[in-house]
Amino acid sequence: MAVIEVKNLSKSFKVKLKEKGLKGSLKSIIKPKYKTIKAVRNVSFSVEKGEIIAFIGPNGAGKSTTIKMMTSILYPDKGSIKVMGLDPSRDRKALSYEIGTVFGQKEQLWTHLTPYDNFKFFGAIYDIPEKAIEKKIDELRELFELDSFINTPVRNLSLGQRIRCEIVASLIHEPKVLFLDEPTIGLDPVVKENIRTLIKRMNKEYKTTIFLTSHDVGDIEKLCKRVIIINNGTVVMDDTMENLKYHYLNKKIVEAKMKEMVNLEDEEGITILKDKGYNLKIEVDTTKKSVSDALKLLNPDNIIDINISNVPLEDIISDIYKNRD
Amino acid sequence: MKKYLFIFKSEIMTNLQYVFNIFVGFIGYFVMLFILFNLWEYLYSDPNELINGYSMTSMMWYVVITEILYSVVGGRTLCKKISNDVKSGNVAYNINKPYSYIGYSVSSHFGNMFIKFIMYVILGLGFGLIFIKKLPNLSLVGIIFVLVSSFLGLLISTLLILSIGLFSFYIEDSGPFYWVYSKLILVMGTLFPIEYFPTIVQKILVYTPVYVVNYGPAKLFVDFDIHKGIGIILAQIIYVIIAYLICNHIYRKGVRRINVNGG
């Protein structure tokens, strides 16, 4: 059963225009002008139970607007959304019990209270009985390894510790769907990795469906099996991570250490990325030339060492962004 | 209801860390009382004389109480907070929680006022006792009425200021509206009781928030009578309903206009 079902979703914003200078400011008071920005245009997709899905796109692509419509913060202009069978704009309260949200750039914890008091607070607003809250806090405390700072006021925590607490706070009421909007923003690589492991563990343990937006390719690559790319308000790609990586651009990177120098210039389907005499790095477009043909050109007897890898996901994604602009 | 009590409790816990700030606020309160006490002493040539039905001591106690209520509400901070919440889009992040935003803001503001109220009452009454010496005659029923009426007065103030703050959904800055509101409340009903105004103005004032916000509780404190008490509390209950409906209407209409870009 689909946990999230979005059909033909659209949303526009009216933005006030102001000409430059004092004259422009005065003019905008007397005769204000507005511009309509189409933030989301005809977006449709669905998400199954237990999936971890990456919802990505460049800045201003419409990701956050879509998430905000799914979490009942914004009202759509057109189209329909069903999250756990509920309509976010009509069943706001009922939906709030089913979903959890973490906005990496917005704090939802009370900064002067300890994480423990915060968790108790979130338990209370979701009408969870006292005993059940305690049990849940104990369970999550262990899963997210919070023991060393659970009684330290949130304002004194490091960013990584705070994000962990933000995630726990959004899990207290056992949501079926968790919306994570850039959860690893501003974190160092070690803490990022730690958060990713915890998200994975949580997904496995509670079968929580996770809807993730991030600019960090590592988050997407390590957590998600499916990726939806949005640009200029429309879905430009909705595919599995495997397909995205292996078939979308059909390109392989071949790095080879040679006994003798080889000249591959003007070869169709081959782009030389680096050529340092005996060390060569090329990109093979497999729609034009197979990897085995490329290896034949290098001459296998001539190769000392070789490494064949996929194009980094980061490059693939930025290529998709650029091509669809 | 339990969740709102929890919001109230969490706000008290937060505020306990800032008790010192409340003490700083007392300085302004004491200066104001000191000026007003001198003013009334100057105006009343004979302490037993009655001006508009108030003796000198009852006039002094009147301002002790109204100034407590006026200071405890901290309207400017509340209005600014709500206005900023609306303008920055912060209000949006409260929408997807299972509570009403108005309920949340009111309970959170009551948590904010709770410690302040206790401290102002103790210090205000202490200050009054030192300078005025004699407390007005107040029975236990009277005290209960004053407390209930103070609670309702604070609730009405909170809801009205919230409504003004929520006006930021429609205009760039609701600050000037709050300025007008606060000055009206300060002059009418806080510094001077309704009886000090011309009869025609008095007739209008009894239907305005001036009557129920600060005047009501202070009037009951200095000159309690059960009929007046019931009248004031009934008027306050009607005002709570009206203020809530206004606030709710502004919020419901406004929330559809939310524009949260980026982030």
Side-chain angles (χ1 to χ4, degrees):
Chain A
M1 189 199 116
V3 170
I4 302 174
E5 192 110 49
V6 173
K7 274 186 196 150
N8 310 321
L9 190 67
S10 296
K11 172 87 185 168
S12 310
F13 291 116
K14 230 165 88 178
V15 181
K16 202 172 177 180
L17 289 176
K18 193 186 91 63
E19 287 169 35
K20 58 187 172 192
L22 181 66
K23 205 174 139 197
S25 301
L26 290 171
K27 227 171 151 184
S28 78
I29 296 173
I30 300 159
K31 203 179 169 193
K33 276 185 194 163
Y34 296 93
K35 186 175 89 176
T36 307
I37 293 176
K38 288 184 177 164
V40 174
R41 288 183 281 191
N42 222 12
V43 164
S44 301
F45 59 85
S46 70
V47 180
E48 296 298 315
K49 189 175 184 259
E51 263 190 292
I52 305 187
I53 202 157
F55 190 65
I56 59 172
N59 287 332
K63 313 181 287 294
S64 283
T65 305
T66 311
I67 279 213
K68 280 171 186 134
M69 285 191 275
M70 288 194 282
T71 53
S72 68
I73 291 174
L74 291 176
Y75 291 81
D77 293 342
K78 260 187 246 156
S80 74
I81 309 174
K82 284 271 184 284
V83 179
M84 300 296 300
L86 299 165
D87 177 348
S89 49
R90 273 189 293 135
D91 315 312
R92 187 185 64 82
K93 202 170 170 190
L95 182 69
S96 67
Y97 288 92
E98 304 287 342
I99 61 167
T101 47
V102 176
F103 294 95
Q105 308 196 59
K106 273 275 183 283
E107 267 177 16
Q108 51 180 348
L109 299 173
W110 293 60
T111 47
H112 297 289
L113 303 185
T114 63
Y116 177 80
D117 287 331
N118 265 292
F119 302 151
K120 293 270 281 189
F121 169 78
F122 280 95
I125 63 164
Y126 285 101
D127 309 312
I128 305 167
E130 193 72 24
K131 268 191 182 167
I133 299 177
E134 290 291 347
K135 209 176 141 214
K136 194 78 206 164
I137 294 176
D138 271 347
E139 195 182 309
L140 289 165
R141 172 156 76 175
E142 214 167 288
L143 186 70
F144 281 76
E145 297 152 10
L146 308 178
D147 272 324
S148 58
F149 55 86
I150 196 157
N151 289 316
T152 311
V154 171
R155 64 169 193 272
N156 298 333
L157 299 181
S158 70
L159 184 59
Q161 291 171 330
R162 190 176 66 74
I163 293 287
R164 257 145 83 185
C165 293
E166 290 273 356
I167 297 176
V168 169
S170 65
L171 289 176
I172 291 283
H173 61 293
E174 299 181 348
K176 312 278 187 309
V177 188
L178 186 63
F179 292 91
L180 299 173
D181 194 359
E182 300 187 36
T184 59
I185 195 162
L187 300 176
D188 72 48
V190 179
V191 180
K192 265 185 195 173
E193 199 48 51
N194 178 266
I195 299 277
R196 284 173 197 146
T197 314
L198 294 171
I199 293 174
K200 249 188 181 164
R201 208 186 289 172
M202 164 187 80
N203 167 260
K204 211 169 149 192
E205 202 107 327
Y206 303 120
K207 304 272 174 295
T208 315
T209 308
I210 295 169
F211 197 87
L212 170 96
T213 76
S214 180
H215 287 296
D216 192 305
V217 175
D219 286 350
I220 304 157
E221 202 165 16
K222 288 181 179 146
L223 288 171
C224 308
K225 289 213 170 86
R226 188 178 144 208
V227 56
I228 297 176
I229 301 180
I230 181 168
N231 199 6
N232 293 326
T234 49
V235 172
V236 292
M237 212 200 79
D238 179 353
D239 211 337
T240 61
M241 195 56 109
E242 301 257 294
N243 281 350
L244 172 71
K245 273 161 83 179
Y246 297 108
H247 305 300
Y248 190 76
L249 285 181
N250 305 304
K251 280 175 184 162
K252 295 276 174 190
I253 304 286
V254 178
E255 286 171 281
K257 199 174 177 185
M258 317 291 293
K259 283 183 198 156
E260 289 166 20
M261 283 197 251
V262 191
N263 186 11
L264 293 175
E265 268 172 45
D266 306 325
E267 280 294 341
E268 207 204 353
I270 290 181
T271 318
I272 299 169
L273 300 175
K274 225 185 253 174
D275 186 358
K276 283 186 181 170
Y278 297 103
N279 291 318
L280 195 64
K281 188 176 178 185
I282 56 171
E283 188 183 87
V284 183
D285 184 344
T286 53
T287 54
K288 292 178 184 148
K289 195 175 275 327
S290 71
V291 176
S292 76
D293 285 345
L295 291 182
K296 274 177 203 155
L297 286 171
L298 290 173
N299 181 9
D301 293 335
N302 196 16
I303 299 170
I304 301 172
D305 191 11
I306 192 159
N307 180 27
I308 303 172
S309 60
N310 294 303
V311 175
L313 184 61
E314 197 148 10
D315 295 354
I316 300 179
I317 290 170
S318 56
D319 222 62
I320 296 172
Y321 290 173
K322 274 183 228 153
N323 290 342
R324 305 289 177 122
D325 259 345
Chain B
M1 196 61 204
K2 196 183 142 208
K3 61 182 87 173
Y4 296 108
L5 281 174
F6 224 95
I7 295 167
F8 172 71
K9 197 176 112 188
S10 302
E11 197 66 63
I12 293 178
M13 280 154 72
T14 301
N15 270 276
L16 277 172
Q17 305 193 28
Y18 293 109
V19 175
F20 184 73
N21 288 10
I22 302 174
F23 276 105
V24 177
F26 283 135
I27 299 169
Y29 173 75
F30 287 141
V31 170
M32 197 69 188
L33 280 191
F34 188 74
I35 294 168
L36 289 170
F37 281 9
N38 278 303
L39 174 77
W40 293 120
E41 261 175 0
Y42 178 76
L43 289 176
Y44 280 87
S45 49
D46 171 10
N48 296 319
E49 182 192 356
L50 289 181
I51 302 179
N52 297 318
Y54 290 84
S55 68
M56 189 180 80
T57 50
S58 55
M59 207 43 243
M60 285 175 164
W61 277 118
Y62 181 88
V63 287
V64 167
I65 302 299
T66 54
E67 282 292 332
I68 288 177
L69 295 172
Y70 189 80
S71 311
V72 165
V73 161
R76 199 159 52 102
T77 322
L78 174 65
C79 184
K80 215 170 170 184
K81 183 176 166 268
I82 300 294
S83 187
N84 284 343
D85 266 6
V86 171
K87 279 190 280 182
S88 67
N90 251 345
V91 69
Y93 298 92
N94 277 300
I95 296 174
N96 64 358
K97 297 281 180 293
Y99 47 62
S100 97
Y101 178 71
I102 297 170
Y104 172 86
S105 304
V106 170
S107 22
S108 144
H109 191 60
F110 264 81
N112 237 319
M113 295 191 293
F114 186 72
I115 301 166
K116 237 163 124 186
F117 183 76
I118 294 173
M119 290 171 77
Y120 267 89
V121 166
I122 295 170
L123 288 166
L125 292 184
F127 189 83
L129 280 173
I130 294 167
F131 286 90
I132 316 167
K133 295 184 175 72
K134 202 175 139 267
L135 263 170
N137 287 330
L138 208 57
S139 61
L140 184 66
V141 180
I143 294 172
I144 294 168
F145 264 84
V146 171
L147 285 175
V148 172
S149 159
S150 299
F151 168 78
L152 291 170
L154 290 173
L155 181 58
I156 297 164
S157 290
T158 306
L159 285 169
L160 290 176
I161 297 163
L162 255 174
S163 309
I164 297 172
L166 288 172
F167 240 85
S168 299
F169 277 123
Y170 308 92
I171 48 169
E172 293 277 318
D173 185 13
S174 59
F177 286 88
Y178 174 71
W179 190 87
V180 173
Y181 166 83
S182 69
K183 294 305 166 262
L184 278 176
I185 292 287
L186 181 68
V187 176
M188 299 174 172
T190 304
L191 296 180
F192 303 101
I194 285 176
E195 291 84 349
Y196 271 68
F197 294 89
T199 328
I200 180 99
V201 180
Q202 282 186 39
K203 280 184 183 156
I204 301 166
L205 287 183
V206 289
Y207 295 106
T208 65
V210 169
Y211 182 72
V212 285
V213 169
N214 293 338
Y215 168 83
K219 178 74 183 170
L220 293 180
F221 186 80
V222 295
D223 184 14
F224 179 73
D225 116 43
I226 189 89
H227 298 292
K228 206 181 291 160
I230 293 170
I232 286 174
I233 285 183
L234 273 178
Q236 286 183 315
I237 291 170
I238 293 169
Y239 243 100
V240 167
I241 298 168
I242 295 171
Y244 174 75
L245 291 176
I246 294 173
C247 197
N248 198 35
H249 182 76
I250 298 176
Y251 176 74
R252 279 185 183 279
K253 288 268 170 196
V255 89
R256 290 195 157 260
R257 301 166 65 104
I258 281 189
N259 235 334
V260 210
N261 293 340

